[in-house]
Amino acid sequence: MHGRYDLPSKYRIVFWGKRGRCANCSKEDRAISFYPPDSTTGRNKDADGNVRDNYNGVLNPGGTGDLIQYAACPGPNERQNMRSTFQYWGVRNGDVGGLEFITLEPVQRNTQLCHWYGSGWWSARGVKRMDVGTKKHPAPLRLPKKSGAAPCKT
């Protein structure tokens, strides 16, 4: 998935879908785990900032028109340019829910929108992780690692 327009940093996008059970990893799957917010506070974290244990199936975007389902996972030489805010909407055991994403940086038109699927996503499906960017629709490249050593003075 790529942007048709330039997007600013912190641009909000929603992933949404029908709530249900997680499909077997052998089947095509674009679902995201669903953690509905507390019905009183609207949050997924307690007052101390700890994540509540409130898993409630997955949000399956199939047949909904959701576009974020097509956002790629960055490959080994790429990095994400959007992420989940862990802010969900919907009710426990409800039919539909959503998850907010934000861009982490300005995203130029035609650049792929990428978010991290999780470390086990690829291996659970027996698929090798590969770079997803193309010449026409590039993905953001990883930044070079910074060396902790100070440069030598001569």
Side-chain angles (χ1 to χ4, degrees):
M1 180 180 143
H2 64 276
R4 289 179 58 193
Y5 305 98
D6 291 344
L7 300 176
S9 180
K10 297 188 173 71
Y11 184 81
R12 295 172 186 234
I13 311 165
V14 70
F15 175 101
W16 67 283
K18 299 171 190 163
R19 194 196 63 78
R21 292 179 174 223
C22 186
N24 185 299
C25 287
S26 65
K27 298 184 179 185
E28 183 178 346
D29 156 35
R30 294 190 187 117
I32 288 182
S33 296
F34 182 51
Y35 297 88
D38 180 272
S39 58
T40 305
T41 66
R43 296 281 175 202
N44 278 313
K45 295 182 180 179
D46 63 22
D48 297 325
N50 300 312
V51 176
R52 296 173 50 239
D53 182 18
N54 58 339
Y55 176 78
N56 191 220
V58 297
L59 299 176
N60 184 343
T64 64
D66 172 78
L67 296 177
I68 299 301
Q69 67 179 302
Y70 302 110
C73 182
N77 299 303
E78 299 164 336
R79 62 186 164 80
Q80 65 182 6
N81 56 7
M82 63 183 245
R83 70 167 177 81
S84 157
T85 63
F86 205 64
Q87 186 59 47
Y88 291 81
W89 56 267
V91 296
R92 185 164 192 79
N93 298 326
D95 293 332
V96 176
L99 171 60
E100 179 186 63
F101 280 79
I102 59 168
T103 56
L104 300 172
E105 59 194 40
V107 179
Q108 290 185 348
R109 179 178 182 245
N110 290 324
T111 300
Q112 293 208 34
L113 291 169
C114 300
H115 68 94
W116 182 240
Y117 290 8
S119 59
W121 194 92
W122 299 98
S123 59
R125 290 157 180 81
V127 177
K128 182 179 179 187
R129 188 170 154 230
M130 299 177 70
D131 288 346
V132 296
T134 66
K135 192 171 190 172
K136 187 174 179 180
H137 301 292
L141 297 176
R142 280 183 177 260
L143 302 173
K145 288 187 179 184
K146 294 180 182 177
S147 171
C152 295
K153 292 184 180 181
T154 55

